Amino acid sequence: MAADKAYADDYSLVRVPENERRPWFIAAVEWIGISYAATAVLFAVTLVGGLSYWDMVAACLIGNAIMAMLFIGYGTVGAREGLPNPVLASYFLGKNGLGLLSLAVVLSLVGWFAFQSEYMAIGLGEMIPALKGYKPYVALVMGLICMTTAIYGFKALAALSRVAVPVFLAWMLAGVVKALLTKPAGELLNPVPLGTPISLNDGIMVIIGGMAAGAALSPDIFRYSRPDVGSVAKASAVYGFVTALQSPLLALIVNAVGKAELGPTMAFLGPIGILMLFVLGWTTNDNNVYSASLAIKPFMPTVGKWKIATVLGVVGSILAALGVIKYFLAWLTLLGNLMPPVIGVGFTDYYVLPRLGLASRIRTGTASAWHLPGVVSWLAGAVVGIVVGTMKVPVASALVAIIAAGLIYLAWSAAGKR
C-alpha cells in the first residue's frame, strides 16, 4: 500500500525503485523536450537581436558546454541516489536552508511558467490577429492547459516530449531549408546584430540563465535513469549537442524573416507555426510546474503533489495574464547567477569531500535544521557570480559562481573537521 501511494505521488519524497528506472535516452528526450520549445525560438530571437551570427554561435557552444557538464555532474547524483533535488538539497543545506532554495526555485519556475504562457499568447496573437486584443485571456488559458500534464506527473511529461521533439525538429529543419532558399548566405549570417547589441558574456548568460533552474533541478528527471554515470553522460551529451545546434539553426530563420520577433519567426512556415508554438510551449511549461511542485512537497508532505501543481499552475497563469514579459532579460540574468551555485555545493559534497576523507551529507543521509556551510557557500557563490557579471571580463559568471560556491564549501567543511 505504501509503495502504491509513493507511485501515485511520483516518488516525490522517496527513492525511485529500480524497476521504475528508464533507459538513458528517455531522460535525453525529456530534457530536449524541455529545451526545444517556443522559448528556444525566443532565445534565438534574443541572441540574433544582440549579437552577430558567429558571436551567437560562440555563446551557444560555450553556454551549452557548461550546462552539459552541470547536468552530468549533478544529474548523476540524482540517478545514483534516486532522489529529487529537494531531498538531496535538504542534506547539504539543511531543512531550513532547503526552504530558502525551494522559495528561489518556486519563484523562478512559476515566473518561467508565466513568461512562457505569455509568450505563447503573444505569438498566437501575432499569427492570429483576431486574438491579439485578448492577450491576457489567451495567456491565462495557455497556462491552464500547460499545467495539466504536470498534474499527472513524470510519465505524462515524457509522453508529451516524445511526440513534440520530432515534430519540432522537422519544423526547424524545414524552416532552415526555406531560409537557405529565400536569402543568400551573406544575409543569413548577419555580421551585425538585428537590434540593440549585447556582450558575448550576456549572450552566454542567456543560454545559462535559460537552463539554470533546469540544471539545478536535474535530479528530478535523472532519478528515473539507471544509476550509473554512463547513462547520465550519454543523455547529457546528446542533450548538449542537440540543444547547441538549435539557436544557430533557428537564427537562420530569424535572419530570413529580417526582424528579431517571435511571431513572424514562428509563422515563417505558415499556419503550422501555430501548432508548433502551442505544443512546444506546453512541453516546457509543464516541467516548470512539475519541478516547482516537487520543491514544495517536502514542506507539505500530506498534500498530494497534483494539488500543489494545480495551485502553482493557476498562480502562474494569473501572472501571465497580468503581463510579466517585460522582466524577461533581467530574470534570466538573476537565475543564471542564483541557481548554478547550488550545483557547486551539491557536487562538492557528493564527489569531492569523500575523496578527501570528509563525510558527504548526501551519501550518509545527514539532515539538520540548518547546514550553514552549504547555505552560505551557495549565497556567496551567487554574489560572486553577480559581481563578475558586472565586470567586463571574458568569462561566464555562472561558471565562476559554481566554482566559488564549491571552493567555499570545501574550505569550510575541511576547517570544520580540523
Side-chain angles (χ1 to χ4, degrees):
M1 183 65 70
D4 291 341
K5 184 177 180 180
Y7 172 81
D9 210 33
D10 220 11
Y11 304 105
S12 53
L13 294 177
V14 298
R15 297 179 189 275
V16 176
E18 291 293 330
N19 64 334
E20 288 292 326
R21 301 300 182 94
R22 300 288 182 264
W24 65 267
F25 59 83
I26 298 295
V29 171
E30 170 62 10
W31 278 118
I32 293 170
I34 296 172
S35 176
Y36 270 63
T39 45
V41 182
L42 182 68
F43 288 160
V45 167
T46 302
L47 292 172
V48 171
L51 297 171
S52 69
Y53 184 84
W54 293 114
D55 282 346
M56 182 269 299
V57 171
C60 291
L61 292 176
I62 296 171
N64 279 282
I66 293 173
M67 297 313 298
M69 290 188 293
L70 300 185
F71 277 119
I72 294 172
Y74 200 40
T76 302
V77 178
R80 288 180 172 178
E81 298 299 318
L83 294 170
N85 182 66
V87 178
L88 297 174
S90 69
Y91 298 141
F92 61 79
L93 296 179
K95 294 180 180 178
N96 293 333
L98 172 63
L100 293 178
L101 176 61
S102 296
L103 177 61
V105 167
V106 171
L107 290 176
S108 66
L109 292 176
V110 172
W112 258 115
F113 183 89
F115 286 137
Q116 291 178 179
S117 297
E118 191 173 355
Y119 287 141
M120 294 168 73
I122 291 172
L124 289 173
E126 290 175 342
M127 289 185 283
I128 307 176
L131 297 177
K132 199 163 189 176
Y134 301 94
K135 190 195 77 173
Y137 306 103
V138 177
L140 178 66
V141 172
M142 290 298 99
L144 295 176
I145 292 174
C146 288
M147 76 180 190
T148 55
T149 43
I151 293 173
Y152 283 100
F154 177 82
K155 291 185 176 181
L157 270 62
L160 181 60
S161 293
R162 284 196 295 269
V163 173
V165 170
V167 174
F168 178 74
L169 288 173
W171 175 86
M172 181 176 66
L173 293 176
V176 169
V177 171
K178 181 180 178 181
L180 293 172
L181 295 175
T182 301
K183 288 188 176 181
E187 294 184 35
L188 297 180
L189 306 178
N190 61 304
V192 295
L194 295 183
T196 304
I198 61 175
S199 68
L200 178 61
N201 185 64
D202 288 339
I204 295 171
M205 291 305 296
V206 167
I207 300 296
I208 294 177
M211 297 186 288
L217 299 173
S218 56
D220 293 353
I221 302 299
F222 281 116
R223 66 198 174 103
Y224 275 94
S225 295
R226 288 167 184 161
D228 62 271
V229 68
S231 294
V232 178
K234 290 175 185 176
S236 300
V238 170
Y239 165 81
F241 175 75
V242 175
T243 53
L245 295 177
Q246 64 177 341
S247 289
L249 292 176
L250 289 168
L252 299 177
I253 301 176
V254 177
N255 286 329
V257 172
K259 49 186 176 181
E261 295 180 11
L262 177 64
T265 301
M266 293 301 300
F268 187 60
L269 288 179
I272 187 65
I274 299 174
L275 176 62
M276 295 308 308
L277 181 67
F278 175 72
V279 173
L280 293 169
W282 192 351
T283 63
T284 303
N285 238 4
D286 55 4
N287 283 275
N288 291 325
V289 172
Y290 176 73
S291 286
S293 63
L294 286 177
I296 289 180
K297 179 63 179 178
F299 304 96
M300 307 177 70
T302 61
V303 180
K305 189 183 69 61
W306 71 270
K307 295 180 181 178
I308 299 173
T310 300
V311 172
L312 294 176
V314 170
V315 170
S317 300
I318 293 174
L319 289 174
L322 294 175
V324 293
I325 199 79
K326 53 185 174 288
Y327 304 110
F328 178 66
L329 214 49
W331 190 255
L332 287 183
T333 301
L334 175 63
L335 291 184
N337 289 305
L338 180 61
M339 301 304 295
V342 173
I343 301 173
V345 178
F347 183 90
T348 301
D349 182 276
Y350 195 78
Y351 292 107
V352 180
L353 295 189
R355 292 181 177 272
L356 299 178
L358 302 173
S360 165
R361 293 173 68 89
I362 295 176
R363 291 177 185 266
T364 58
T366 303
S368 57
W370 287 97
H371 186 52
L372 288 181
V375 175
V376 174
S377 299
W378 162 40
L379 297 178
V383 172
V384 170
I386 292 172
V387 172
V388 171
T390 63
M391 302 166 62
K392 302 300 182 182
V393 292
V395 62
S397 57
L399 185 58
V400 176
I402 293 169
I403 296 172
L407 291 176
I408 295 170
Y409 186 71
L410 173 61
W412 196 326
S413 299
K417 183 177 182 180
R418 287 197 299 268

